[in-house]
């Protein structure tokens, strides 16, 4: 099987594991390998004859936009030989598929609150001169309004080790305090985030975050002498409260610690898992993109029932081991699941119920309450209203995914979901796609007669021609929309100190389905990530909650959070209300927000030229199949005769025209440069210090070509 | 000018498409690669073999064999050579260095195991290295086994090696039981783990010594069965639960069912002499044992009226070296006087057991002494160890499962066995119905089920016969396909097997030493091998069977009392001169029907 095995398989022998041959070897065609770990945004267009300019500029600065659909389309187009320019819109990474470090997320929160829509009139002056007769300009939105109701609460102890008591008082407990404090530092935050060098920004953020959340006078001492102080803290606590077992003292995680270890976090705005036989995994395998990532199998499927977190018996081994089920229930469950596996073969079993809800069908099957709950909420993961056939299909899909990579049907990419779009970006780049960071498009240039986009005008006032334009929904201004009513997803991101269901291994990823607490409320899906998933620091768990919104995210999700976790009233307070509270994991930090779910929209919802393809944002479902299917359909719309993501060849099978890895080399050598071009190139080179002088000629040449070259696929330009 | 340049460039890389080597190119490359490897391998192999025949035991030999074995770990000769080299190096080095030498060897084997986890040579070499290692690290070895088994839980090489490691490292039985818990938990379709469990449980939770006053015993006499390798009841109940969980989850998985059968218990019968029969007229003693024995080597001794007798023991049929029934002839005149009472004792010296039999005065021409099958609960033995209350509860569970899975063969079969253990006669009707279902749902094994059903019917008939205290065995029209428990029919005088599906009268039939009348009409009997030296057989009826050849009837000539023979409806009557030939073969038969 071409897919990389889950990590559990890899370490089969205690010593001397051989590295997997060649798979992760740097590819000569991908520059800036070490900078792949980054977060960014999301605009991409399919371009002809302009891309060399960007190659030169961004040769050493290769940032990956993080929107799954767009990056898959880009990779697919690039793979079949199309020229792709993938632009990053904002000056800050905010794509809804992004993964953030803890510090990055804090900065993002600030950035988010401060963003403002630029008035069209201001922009218009820039592009007026570039628009010709018979052309129209369609401006794009500069504000991402897909996130709303953002609220942050911190419960981790803020205590500085030596001065515990006085500090507690000013610690922010509600969102207002946090935002006020952070607002003051917003400019610095911006600087950090927009820095060219990823490592520089990473190195800078911890300091800066200290400022955000702490009084300034405390900052420096804590920075310099943290390790020794934490040691002191341990000792002093041991002395002060001898009744506490030492283990607990060691476990205690302060806010400073979170910030200090912030780079160990990879916090996704979108929470999804990969069905091991879902569209995404199939695509990763088919296209050989899987070689760029590693995955971890989800260890636990849990549910919350009768006030307890319980394991959901879904695989054969689970059913066997389950203690909640009677043997009769075990048989009934297995029998039902076996039936679901090929339910199409037994239409007589469900024919009478096709018009009825799945829940009723389960009742008709004489399954006990227990089993009905397990199947409906945790296996099929559908609602009370879902019809029988859909429920059966969902159950079947779940079951078919079992056992491919382990005892649960799900995989999670190490380092967070943001890895997946990056893998596709990487493939896109391998096949010549160009990536630009902090380079956005102001408006589209539309040929009025054909109602087609013929060019775009970027934020530097350059006009770049293109034949197709793919864009995320959040970039579309309301003027281009038929309707502005959206569904919303409620999200919460928590950092906790232990797992909701401790087991032999503390390094398991768990999926917890929480049936509606009241009948009107939506079911909540929770994914608890352990530190070995590379999304949080050791000793913590990163918990994502998702549900379809009925109101503000905090209103939707806080009741669930308080059911499952210990939410202290005073930061850093130890749970004390008896054994029950103590057994729950404590919340250290939590963020609530609503995210716009545009997945129900299609092209009829926008009034846009026909060669503009809108990628609707992440949907609320557990898997990414929606995005992949959308990518495939857009791709076929752009290139009806091409194969979608055929397997990428092995590096050793690629022929480099006999002269080195840079196929484009000879083309540039013969070119001559004008002075004007040169100076522009030098400017670019200066902006990105690493651009070597030998390549400075390329952008100029290409730039001039842009204005002249006719294309074999696009209509001839005005010259 | 720019335009042309660019266009040329674009053409050369086909609009940005990456050029890929064709399949033929790739294959050619691979072929060349393989050839190169083969050449290198062959030359290295030749070099190693040359070194070995030259008796060189040096580092270079280790290096060369290492190269070869890491690509082909199944080359046993090279492992042997390696051992020779290692043994030689061992003599030259300090203890510390030896430890290091062998440790690096273990690392190397590990790499080879990755190439082939089922290489005999590798695993053997690993065991050997551990015996040579001054300070073997068994924990590490155990870890290795666990990892291998997590990759392939049925790798028997690893299971074997693990047994060695566990033995050497003294891992506690509790830990091992937890190990099986873990393996069964991750996949219960793994009979290796279940079986391992069955060997651990009796060590960890042995059954307490049997109570000297068995009030709970259903029979008034003490049960003559030994219950070894048993587990205490408390633990047993937990194990039943575990097995239930498995077969309720997946009733088609046989591992759990087999384990369950083991849990239900299989009694081992005590080795004893179950019957001694003496016939005055024939001066013959027949001895039946509880299991097949080889009398000549077991020290069987016959004492008649206090006098040890020199007798020749023979099995009921010359075919058997081991047999549950042995015969001997008493010296002439030793028991012919009907006015004398004789006391006979058969001693089984090997097992320190004996059985007496008295031949009283008077007209009685025979005498016997025996344990009846009913007293011994003989036919419950397969599942008779447990208390009936436990078995009753288990039967209930299985019936629950059967309700949900009426077609499940494992469940049906287990129910049949449980019913037999509880009350074979009371459940006869249900048992037969279940057998019928079994044959329908599992036609591939219908013959097996028929044979098993025949066995149970015979057992039931024997029980009924003994309750009635008669010597007549009648089992007609029951679809019998096979005959068994014939040693239990030693005393039977009349037997009726008509209208069944028997194909032959097997050699064991010769154990029916008292048989006078045999009715076996309407079967498909082809062979009469078992009608051999039956001293009292007078009448045989074999109408409508499949006896084809005269030679099939030859064994009848050894039955000296046979006078009536009915062979109507057999193909043999077509043989030319059949009547005269038969008269010649069986001159004593006076009433012959053809």
């Amino acid at each position: 099987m071409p897919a990389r095995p889950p990590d559990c398989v890899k370490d089969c022998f205690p010593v001397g594991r051989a590295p997997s041959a060649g798979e992760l070897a740097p590819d000569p065609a991908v520059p800036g390998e070490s900078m792949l770990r980054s977060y960014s945004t999301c605009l991409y267009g399919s371009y002809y004859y302009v891309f060399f300019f960007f190659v030169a500029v961004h040769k050493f600065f290769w940032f990956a936009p993080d929107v799954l659909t767009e990056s898959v389309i880009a990779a697919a187009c690039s793979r079949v030989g199309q020229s792709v320019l993938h632009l990053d819109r904002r000056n800050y990474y905010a794509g809804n598929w992004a993964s953030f470090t803890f510090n990055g997320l804090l900065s993002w929160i600030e950035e988010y609150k401060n963003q403002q829509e630029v008035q069209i009139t201001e922009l218009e002056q820039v592009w007026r001169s570039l628009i010709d007769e018979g052309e129209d300009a369609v401006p794009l939105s500069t504000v991402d309004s897909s996130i709303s109701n953002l609220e942050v609460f911190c419960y981790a102890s803020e205590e500085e080790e030596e001065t515990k008591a006085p500090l507690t008082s000013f610690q922010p407990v509600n969102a207002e305090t946090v935002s006020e404090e952070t607002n003051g530092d917003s400019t610095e935050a911006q600087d950090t985030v927009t820095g060219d060098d990823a490592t520089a920004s990473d190195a800078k953020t911890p300091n800066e975050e200290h400022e955000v959340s702490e009084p300034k006078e405390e900052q420096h001492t804590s920075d310099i002498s943290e390790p020794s102080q934490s040691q002191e803290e341990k000792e002093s606590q041991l002395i002060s409260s001898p009744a506490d077992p030492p283990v607990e003292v060691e476990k205690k995680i302060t806010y400073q610690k979170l910030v200090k270890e912030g780079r160990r976090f990879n916090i996704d705005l979108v929470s999804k898992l990969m069905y091991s036989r879902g569209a995404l995994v199939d695509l990763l395998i088919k296209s050989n993109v899987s070689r760029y990532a590693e995955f971890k199998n989800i260890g636990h499927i849990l549910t919350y029932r009768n006030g307890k977190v319980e394991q959901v018996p879904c695989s054969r081994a689970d059913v066997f081991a389950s203690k909640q089920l009677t043997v009769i229930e075990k048989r009934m469950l297995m029998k039902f699941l076996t039936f679901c596996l090929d339910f199409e073969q037994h239409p007589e079993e469900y024919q009478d119920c096709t018009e009825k809800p799945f829940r009723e069908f389960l009742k008709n099957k004489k399954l006990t309450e227990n089993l009905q709950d397990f199947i409906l909420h945790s296996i099929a993961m559908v609602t009370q209203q879902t019809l029988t056939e859909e429920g059966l299909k969902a159950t079947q899909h779940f079951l078919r995914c079992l056992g491919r990579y382990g005892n649960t049907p799900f995989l999670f990419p190490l380092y967070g979901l943001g890895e997946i779009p990056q893998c596709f970006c990487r493939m896109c780049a391998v096949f010549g796609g160009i990536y630009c960071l902090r380079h956005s498009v102001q408006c589209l240039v539309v040929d009025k007669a054909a109602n087609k986009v013929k060019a775009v005008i970027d934020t530097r006032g350059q006009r770049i021609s293109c034949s197709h334009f793919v864009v995320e929904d959040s970039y579309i201004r309301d003027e281009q929309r038929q309707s502005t009513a959206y569904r919303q997803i409620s999200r919460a991101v928590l950092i906790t100190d232990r797992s909701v269901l401790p087991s032999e291994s503390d390094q398991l990823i768990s999926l917890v389905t929480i049936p509606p607490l009241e009948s009107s409320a939506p079911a909540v899906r929770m994914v608890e990530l352990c530190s070995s998933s590379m999304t949080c620091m050791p000793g913590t768990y990163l918990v994502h909650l998702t549900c379809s919104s009925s109101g503000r995210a905090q209103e939707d999700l806080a009741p669930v959070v308080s059911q499952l976790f210990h939410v202290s009233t005073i930061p850093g307070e130890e749970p004390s209300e008896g054994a029950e509270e103590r057994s729950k994991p404590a919340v250290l930090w939590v963020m609530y927000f609503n995210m716009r779910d545009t997945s129900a929209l299609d092209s009829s919802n926008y009034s846009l030229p026909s060669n503009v393809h809108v990628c609707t944002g992440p949907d609320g479902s557990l898997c990414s199949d929606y995005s992949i299917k959308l990518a495939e359909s857009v791709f076929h719309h752009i290139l009806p005769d091409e194969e979608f993501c055929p397997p990428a060849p092995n590096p050793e099978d690629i022929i480099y025209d006999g002269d080195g890895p840079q196929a484009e080399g000879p083309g540039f050598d013969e070119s001559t440069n004008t002075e004007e071009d040169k100076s522009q190139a030098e400017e670019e080179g200066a902006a990105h210090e690493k651009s070597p002088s030998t390549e400075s000629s390329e952008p100029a040449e290409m730039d001039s070509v842009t204005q002249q070259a006719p294309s074999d696929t696009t209509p001839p330009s005005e010259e | 000018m720019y335009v042309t340049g660019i266009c040329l460039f674009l053409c050369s890389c086909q609009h940005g498409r990456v050029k890929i080597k064709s399949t033929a190119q790739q294959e050619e490359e691979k072929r060349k690669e393989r050839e190169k490897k083969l050449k290198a391998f062959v030359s290295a192999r030749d070099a190693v073999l040359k070194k070995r025949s030259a008796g060189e035991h040096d580092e270079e030999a280790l290096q060369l064999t290492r190269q070869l074995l890491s690509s082909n770990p199944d080359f046993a000769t090279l492992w042997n050579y390696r051992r020779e080299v290692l043994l030689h190096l061992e003599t030259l080095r300090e203890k510390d260095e030896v430890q290091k030498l062998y440790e690096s060897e273990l690392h190397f084997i590990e790499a080879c195991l990755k190439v082939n986890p089922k290489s005999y040579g590798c695993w053997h070499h690993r065991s050997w290295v551990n015996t040579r290692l001054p300070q073997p690290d068994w924990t590490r070895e155990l870890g290795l086994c666990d990892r291998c088994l997590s990759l392939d839980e049925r790798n028997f090489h690893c299971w074997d090696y693990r047994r060695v490691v566990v033995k050497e490292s003294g891992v506690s039985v509790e830990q091992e039981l937890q190990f099986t818990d873990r393996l069964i938990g991750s996949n219960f379709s793994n009979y290796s783990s279940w079986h391992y469990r069955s060997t651990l449980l009796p060590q960890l939770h042995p059954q307490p010594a049997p109570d000297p006053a068995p009030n709970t015993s259903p029979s008034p006499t003490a049960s003559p069965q030994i219950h070894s390798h048993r587990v205490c009841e408390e633990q047993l109940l937990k194990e039943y639960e575990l097995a239930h969980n498995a077969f309720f989850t997946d009733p088609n998985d046989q591992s759990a069912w087999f384990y369950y059968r083991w849990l239900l218990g299989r009694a081992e019968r005590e080795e004893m002499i179950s019957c001694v029969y003496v016939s005055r007229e024939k001066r013959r003693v027949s001895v039946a044992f509880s299991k097949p024995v080889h009398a000549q080597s077991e020290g069987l001794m016959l004492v008649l009226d206090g006098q040890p007798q020199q007798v020749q023991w023979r099995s009921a049929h010359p075919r058997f070296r081991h047999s549950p029934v042995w015969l001997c002839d008493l010296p002439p005149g030793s028991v012919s006087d009907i006015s004398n009472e004789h006391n006979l004792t058969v001693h089984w010296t090997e097992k320190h057991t004996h059985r007496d039999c008295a031949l009283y005065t008077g007209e009685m021409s025979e005498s016997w002494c025996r344990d009846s099958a009913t007293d011994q609960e003989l036919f419950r033995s397969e599942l008779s160890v447990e208390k009936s209350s436990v078995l009753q509860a288990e039967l209930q569970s299985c019936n629950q499962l059967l309700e949900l899975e009426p077609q499940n063969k494992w469940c049906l079969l287990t129910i049949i066995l449980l019913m037999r253990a509880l009350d074979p006669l009371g459940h006869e009707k249900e048992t037969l119905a279940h057998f019928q279902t079994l044959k329908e749902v599992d036609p591939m094994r219908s013959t097996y089920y028929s044979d098993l059903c025949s066995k149970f019917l015979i057992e039931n008939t024997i029980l009924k016969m003994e309750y009635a205290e008669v010597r007549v065995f009648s089992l007609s029209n029951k679809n019998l396909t096979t005959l068994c428990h014939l040693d239990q029919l030693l005393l039977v005088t009349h037997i009726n097997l008509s209208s069944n599906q028997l194909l032959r009268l097997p050699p064991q039939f010769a154990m029916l030493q008292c048989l006078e009348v045999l009715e076996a009409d309407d079967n498909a009997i082809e062979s009469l091998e078992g009608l051999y030296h039956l001293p009292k057989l007078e009448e045989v009826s074999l109408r409508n069977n499949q006896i084809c050849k005269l030679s099939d009837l030859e064994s009848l000539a050894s039955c000296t009392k046979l006078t009536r023979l009915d062979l109507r409806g057999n193909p043999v009557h077509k043989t030319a001169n059949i009547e005269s030939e038969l008269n010649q073969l069986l001159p004593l038969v006076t009433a012959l029907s053809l």
Side-chain angles (χ1 to χ4, degrees), chain A residues 14 68 77 83 110 132 135 163 283 289 342 368 409 418 422 427 472 481 530 536 552 557 573 599 648 688-689:
Chain A
L68 183 59
C77 288
S83 309
E110 285 326 301
D132 293 315
E135 290 175 348
T163 52
L283 180 65
V289 171
D342 55 353
T368 59
Q422 287 198 26
M427 181 166 94
E472 199 209 343
R481 295 176 191 275
C530 58
C536 56
R552 280 170 53 231
L557 294 170
E573 180 214 47
S599 61
H688 308 278
E689 307 121 19

Side-chain angles (χ1 to χ4, degrees), chain B residues 275 277 286 288 325 486-492 511-514:
Chain B
C275 178
Y277 167 82
S286 310
V325 173
L486 290 169
D487 54 312
Q488 296 291 322
L489 303 180
L490 180 64
L491 302 175
V492 164
M511 294 173 195
L512 278 71
Q513 287 291 309
C514 302

Side-chain angles (χ1 to χ4, degrees), chain A residues 672-691:
Chain A
T672 44
N673 313 316
T674 64
E675 268 184 30
E676 190 197 337
D677 291 337
K678 209 166 207 164
S679 65
Q680 196 190 336
E682 272 159 14
E683 257 177 54
E684 297 295 340
H688 308 278
E689 307 121 19
K690 288 179 187 170
S691 186

Side-chain angles (χ1 to χ4, degrees), chain A residues 13 81 316 331 335 642 652, chain B residues 15 17 21 189 248 405:
Chain A
F13 291 93
R316 197 165 163 270
R331 186 80 287 272
K335 207 172 173 178
E642 294 283 359
E652 64 269 23
Chain B
H15 299 260
R17 262 171 217 257
K21 289 173 190 165
S189 305
F248 270 87
E405 298 289 320

Side-chain angles (χ1 to χ4, degrees), chain B residues 177-428:
Chain B
L177 197 66
Q178 281 165 9
F179 169 72
T180 64
D181 275 341
R182 211 168 61 235
L183 286 193
I184 292 169
S186 67
N187 179 9
F188 60 85
S189 305
N190 178 357
Y191 192 65
S192 304
S193 333
W194 288 107
H195 174 261
Y196 192 31
R197 207 175 166 76
S198 72
T199 64
L200 297 170
L201 282 172
Q203 296 177 52
L204 197 60
H205 305 280
Q207 193 179 39
D211 198 342
N215 295 329
T216 50
S217 174
S219 66
T221 60
S223 167
Q225 293 152 6
I226 317 166
H227 312 155
S228 63
H229 309 299
R230 295 303 303 163
V231 180
C232 74
E233 190 172 321
E234 193 189 347
Q235 183 64 28
L236 212 50
L237 291 176
K238 285 186 199 154
E239 296 301 310
Y240 281 131
E241 206 183 309
L242 194 68
H244 289 166
N245 279 337
F247 63 66
F248 270 87
T249 304
D250 186 355
N252 291 316
D253 186 81
Q254 53 185 14
S255 315
W257 285 109
F258 280 126
Y259 183 67
Y260 187 61
R261 291 264 287 274
W262 173 80
L263 284 176
L264 288 171
R266 177 186 289 271
E268 288 161 43
R269 289 191 65 199
E270 191 187 345
E271 290 171 322
M272 56 180 273
I273 300 170
S274 53
C275 178
V276 175
Y277 167 82
V278 192
S279 160
R280 190 195 297 271
E281 182 192 358
K282 297 282 170 191
R283 288 183 288 108
R284 182 177 285 184
V285 178
S286 310
V287 184
F289 298 87
S290 57
K291 61 185 239 182
V293 295
H294 186 235
Q296 277 111 346
S297 63
E298 294 275 354
L300 209 57
M301 199 170 68
L302 182 69
V303 179
L304 180 64
D305 300 325
Q307 295 293 315
Q309 302 287 317
Q310 276 293 335
V311 291
Q312 201 64 47
W313 291 103
R314 61 176 193 273
S315 66
H317 194 281
R319 276 267 207 100
F320 303 122
R321 270 173 60 79
H322 284 76
S323 163
V325 173
W326 288 83
L327 314 170
C328 71
D329 293 323
L330 292 168
S334 54
V335 289
S336 53
D337 187 354
I338 55 163
S339 57
N340 282 346
E341 189 180 308
H342 296 284
N343 280 309
L344 205 90
T345 308
V346 178
H347 287 275
W348 190 3
T349 47
E350 202 96 317
K351 305 287 174 200
H352 307 288
T353 179
H354 64 91
R355 186 166 279 272
D356 303 321
C357 179
L359 189 58
Y360 301 107
T361 54
E363 290 305 310
M364 299 254 304
S365 68
E366 57 185 5
S367 177
W368 62 84
C369 170
R370 65 171 297 196
D371 291 325
S372 77
T374 43
D375 287 348
Q376 294 177 56
E377 298 174 18
L378 192 65
F379 305 127
R380 293 181 47 185
S381 67
E382 289 212 9
L383 291 177
S384 66
V385 180
E386 290 320 313
K387 289 180 194 152
S388 55
S389 63
V390 173
L391 292 180
Q392 197 73 52
E394 292 309 308
L395 180 60
Q396 229 160 28
S397 300
C398 288
N399 275 328
Q400 271 181 333
L401 180 58
L402 192 68
E403 241 170 75
L404 297 165
E405 298 289 320
Q407 307 270 293
N408 187 273
K409 61 173 180 172
W410 297 102
C411 187
L412 282 163
L413 189 59
T414 309
I415 287 177
I416 290 173
L417 295 176
L418 280 166
M419 284 177 165
R420 289 208 59 73
L422 282 162
D423 181 1
L425 291 176
H427 287 299
E428 185 173 295

